[in-house]
Amino acid sequence: QVQLVESGGGLVQAGGSLRLSCASSKRTGSYAMGWFRQAPGKEREFVGSISWRGDSINYADSVKGRFTISRDHAKNTMALQMESLKPEDTVVYYCAARAYADYAGPDAADYDSWGQGTQVTVSS
């Protein structure tokens, strides 16, 4: 497993932007990674994922066109750039990693390492 730490959450007005970052304790070159989010009392929801090469990126329909995932192997980080934020984007965001995998999809069970989460609050 790898230790993951998210940062960059906070309070923003609707229509605004935030950039989340996920730092890994190990080199990320052999990990597929993803972002999920979870509201209280609800199941964890897939936001998007990126292959270890960075050449395959997938998004949930709810964020497609607004959110962008990227990764930097030199810094062992992954980012989630969020634009045009809506009040319904207010939840805790988690990054996740799947070891020794080229690709990871929307199933949370496929990931073996998780961060502690970072709160994003979008005010209307």
Side-chain angles (χ1 to χ4, degrees), residues 14-16 24 48 50 54 56-57 64 67 70 79-80 83 93 98 103 105:
S24 169
I50 184 168
S56 177
I57 305 175
K64 198 172 294 183
F67 290 9
S70 61
L80 179 66
E83 307 284 348
Y93 286 75
R98 184 182 183 185
Y103 169 80

Side-chain angles (χ1 to χ4, degrees), residues 2-3 6 12 23 25 33 42-43 46 58 60-61 64-65 68-69 81 87 92 95 105 107 109 111 118-120:
V2 61
Q3 290 185 341
E6 302 95 338
V12 64
S25 62
M33 300 186 75
K42 294 189 176 181
E43 292 189 355
F46 174 74
N58 296 281
D61 288 342
K64 198 172 294 183
T68 303
I69 295 174
Q81 179 67 40
V92 178
C95 68
D107 189 347
Y111 297 80
T118 186
Q119 175 71 45
V120 170

